[in-house]
Amino acid sequence: MAAGPAYGEEKGGSSSLGEPEYGHDPASGGIFAADYKRHDDLKEMLDSNKDSLKLEAMKRIVAMIARGKNASDLFPAVVKNVACKNIEVKKLVYVYLVRYAEEQQDLALLSISTFQRGLKDPNQLIRASALRVLSSIRVPIIVPIMMLAIKEAASDMSPYVRKTAAHAIPKLYSLDSDQKDQLIEVIEKLLADKTTLVAGSVVMAFEEVCPERIDLIHKNYRKLCNLLIDVEEWGQVVIINMLTRYARTQFLSPNQNESLLEESTEKAFYGSEEDDTKDAKAEAAPLAKRKPYVMDPDHRLLLRNTKPLLQSRNAAVVMAVAQLYFHLAPKAEVGVIAKALVRLLRSHSEVQYVVLQNVATMSIKRRGMFEPYLKSFYIRSTDPTQIKILKLEVLTNLANETNISTILREFQTYIRSMDKDFVAATIQAIGRCATNIGKVRDTCLNGLVQLLSNRDELVVAESVVVIKKLLQMQPAQHSEIIKHMAKLTDNIQVPMARASILWLIGEYCEHVPKIAPDVLRKMAKSFTNEEDIVKLQVINLAAKLYLTNSKQSKLLTQYVLNLAKYDQNYDIRDRARFIRQLIVPTEKSGALNKYAKKLFLAQKPAPILESSFKDRDHFQLGSLSHLLNTKAVGYQELPDWPDEAPDPSVRNVEVPEWTKCTSREKRKEKVEKPFYSDSDGESGPTESADSGTPGQARCLWLSSAAAPSEPHSPHSPSEEEEDEERAKKAKKKVALQGKKGCAETSEEEASGFESSSSGSDSGSEAEATQRKAPPSSRAVPKEISLLDLDDFTPPTPQPISSSSVISTSLVTDLEGLTLIDTSLAPTLLSPGFGAVRTYELLHRMAGEGLSVEYCFSRRPFPGDQHMVAVQIQISNNTDTEVKSLRVSEPKPLSGMRIQEFPEIEYLAPGETASVVMGIDFCDSTQAANFQLCTHTRHFYVSIQPPVGELMAPVFMSENEFRKEQGKLTGMSEITEKLMLSEKYRSDHAIVQQVTSAANVGRVPCGADNEYRFAAKTVTSGSLVLITLEQREGAAAQLTINSEKMVIGTMLVKDIIQALTQ
């Protein structure tokens, strides 16, 4: 906020005059002042003549909006600046107006002429913003103006403006649905657009305005399929969902013949009577006449082009492709989505919840698809309850005779959980497994009976409910269990469980003739204190016992019915009156009295325990309606497959004669054009989507970014492969150049997808030099960047002897230690200072002759002990002198600090200077960004430290090491097993590799096969303890103890890599 002080000076120190002070945060000023003083400082800045103050005010206002603060009272002051000449101010004003135009429609209408002028602005961002604001003013009177603006924007040269026009279409349609016909014309025009930027937005507009006009998609179907891979992620989701519904109306079901065969075999299996055989013959006739299924090429095109998106980083895209395959693909091909969906289970809990809802539905119909990934659905203790219950659902759906023993063992563990809802769901899952798989029914029943002796009442209650359902399947064999459950009525207080026990005893009272009357006696005593659901079952039990054993239970029944007659709940009173008339014969009782026994003791079918997801598949997977299991507003039903395939020729597109290739050379030239080059125009994305995979496209992009100045120069295949390899190895360097290019390019050009001229010049020089280089010179073990020259050899640092490194005081400290390993003393610090690895900061090509390298010297930084010392070597490879070398505008992340090196006033041609700078990385491996400046140029550079350089060695005794290690256990301890490389099995080699990977000190150890190291992080001083235990052969175990778990995890990887490479 650089304008803050200037503005304070301009006001002339108003705070001294008794006026309220206004801080940088607009919300902080005027809190205790009157309302009319609110935001006065911002209003004054907006009324100022200086663009810098206006820009500062707009930045603060937009920041307020981003934080959710109300800035609507500033609308008049902001809207006055809509005609400002400064593009930056104008863009921020449009951002504000888009937010508040609906609330302040009258004031926005006053500036409508300015918005119309903005539609003609040469800057595409201003044109798009003006259209966005115009479509946000929800006043019917300006509908014709909006319609005209959308039509003009749909023909705009900029794809960004056309995209904005597509976004404005649904807004206008919701304001005035009578404009539908004209809007459909615009949608039809935009659907023919070949740029990836517009595709997703126009399909969204199509879905909102005219989803029934499927004829608009026919001609664009193949183009949308081919563009899909290059559309932004939001657009991919919209297009895939639309194409799913389109394919269901235009293609035949790929599983139609299979489903008919399945139906006919099922009928043949179950039907044993003559009628069934006649039906089977009747069904077989159309089956024999049906032609064999051949997949439409357009159907195959859709499946082929969506499959790579299963690897998308966006969970919504993966889910969209998964539902497309589930609804459209042949049964044999649907399995490819399982792995992608399982990958999403490693994401956030919100994503897991949605994915598991869909997996639960899929696993009912396509169980085999997820069986290989059974362990991925095992429940972790850290999972939220909703996730646990959904994983239980999936595990239960996947249960079969082969894996049931594994699943039941898992369930057994889950019952011990502290989460009561989860335990209840687990017991229900055991019941479902017992119902579905007959051979484990007895095992499950016995397990549930054992749970009846559990201390937790809720576990017992849920077990009773599930046992009741299982006993209904074969009650005669389980009278002992019923007797056992009858005894639980004294202890269990959960109403549902008590009701279930009473129902069981009443239903099977003939199996327990001695116990049932006694249970009724006990329940009659506590009848008035029971819950309603229990009272109803007590009345039922009394009625059933009266009918089967009236001698013992007659008086009890009358007593219970009399109590129920005066109960507060009218359901219980009605039930009592009804049962009294039904079972007790009187003169007034009707004919039903004869059938009382049949009514009460009729054989009841066993309940079927089904998944709650069984009927959800009629909703489109991945939709909100599927998630809620109810039809949401705006949901479009998934159409049924047609019986006969519609005409496929409607998707054929006539190619104009002048666009057809006349020779093989032209086609070859077209293929060799770089991805998204300027000369391709709008057809670039389409061709790239047809010709290659996303990986190839990325490689082409890298090569074109390196040399956009010569897009048509021919390459030999071997050179292209080498260029691609170099491009992959040098991603960081390309990103660095990209930042440089962006800084030198104006914002208009950047948004217009144009690359900077400086980047193209350097890229073409580098490519030319790479072609001239002999093949032998490329076999250098050093990492090659995209702009490396073969004649460039970095100066090798001179090795420093260990004797010169260890100070006299340190030797004195170490004299008292008894060391078993004689190689300890000379290797204690030498790996840290001898084999220093250098990194390139600025290449001589990118630095225009100035090359910079850096290394981590592992010495304490003299200015600040919390900073890492970075030694920088600057070489002048030009013919002219370089002046005023310095660090400018360091931009460290939050908490980081950079101590610049002293300015180098003069560096002669061919000379090299070495300086030291300090960086506080805050115990993080994130890069420190800054500018390296000379008297003529500025270079953006960044230093990223390996995790091993963020620490300093600590020397401690074996006992101290063990004591500190005992404090850092549990989550602070990371253990990994590894196989040591043959060359790193000796004591000297192991110590050297560990100390080269991290700046640590060796700790003495009494065991021959154990190595210990200690360090502390430079910033926070947190201890990092490393233990490497050598076992039989090449096996070893690495343990790292540290409060900083992230540092520990990264350090494990680095040390394992150093010892196994």
Side-chain angles (χ1 to χ4, degrees), residues 560-608:
V560 168
L561 291 175
N562 284 333
L563 287 173
K565 185 178 179 180
Y566 299 104
D567 197 87
Q568 291 182 345
N569 189 307
Y570 56 81
D571 282 337
I572 295 168
R573 297 198 299 270
D574 289 350
R575 177 75 63 90
R577 291 192 191 101
F578 164 69
I579 286 178
R580 188 189 291 275
Q581 292 297 320
L582 194 61
I583 63 172
V584 182
T586 59
E587 294 176 3
K588 293 180 182 178
S589 61
L592 279 176
N593 185 264
K594 302 172 188 177
Y595 306 105
K597 203 162 188 176
K598 288 184 179 179
L599 286 171
F600 277 100
L601 299 172
Q603 193 171 359
K604 299 170 183 67
I608 300 168

Side-chain angles (χ1 to χ4, degrees), residues 768-954:
T769 320
Q770 282 177 353
R771 290 201 196 97
K772 290 175 187 174
S776 60
S777 64
R778 285 177 182 159
V780 182
K782 177 182 169 290
E783 286 186 8
I784 303 170
S785 79
L786 195 62
L787 299 176
D788 268 339
L789 294 177
D790 294 314
D791 60 346
F792 174 69
T793 53
T796 55
Q798 296 294 323
I800 303 166
S801 65
S802 59
S803 59
S804 65
V805 170
I806 302 178
S807 64
T808 53
S809 61
L810 182 59
V811 173
T812 312
D813 291 340
L814 293 175
E815 278 175 357
L817 297 175
T818 307
L819 304 176
I820 293 172
D821 183 5
T822 54
S823 65
L824 172 65
T827 59
L828 186 59
L829 292 174
S830 57
F833 289 93
V836 179
R837 184 179 174 188
T838 59
Y839 304 87
E840 187 175 70
L841 189 63
L842 185 66
H843 191 273
R844 57 185 275 185
M845 287 299 297
E848 299 178 2
L850 191 70
S851 64
V852 184
E853 291 190 330
Y854 68 94
C855 66
F856 297 93
S857 63
R858 297 193 174 182
R859 291 190 177 95
F861 184 67
D864 190 341
Q865 62 176 355
H866 296 299
M867 286 189 168
V868 176
V870 183
Q871 191 163 346
I872 297 176
Q873 194 166 1
I874 307 170
S875 303
N876 182 6
N877 303 304
T878 63
D879 298 331
T880 57
E881 59 189 29
V882 176
K883 296 179 182 177
S884 186
L885 266 165
R886 66 197 184 282
V887 171
S888 173
E889 292 187 31
K891 294 183 179 178
L893 297 170
S894 177
M896 280 192 189
R897 294 178 296 130
I898 296 178
Q899 181 64 50
E900 302 94 343
F901 58 80
E903 182 177 336
I904 301 171
E905 295 180 359
Y906 175 85
L907 191 63
E911 280 193 4
T912 299
S914 184
V915 290
V916 177
M917 67 186 293
I919 303 176
D920 181 359
F921 288 103
C922 291
D923 295 345
S924 163
T925 55
Q926 291 185 323
N929 303 310
F930 57 92
Q931 279 189 34
L932 190 64
C933 304
T934 66
H935 65 296
T936 56
R937 290 299 308 273
H938 298 261
F939 304 103
Y940 289 92
V941 291
S942 62
I943 293 177
Q944 187 165 19
V947 70
E949 304 298 343
L950 299 175
M951 51 195 73
V954 172

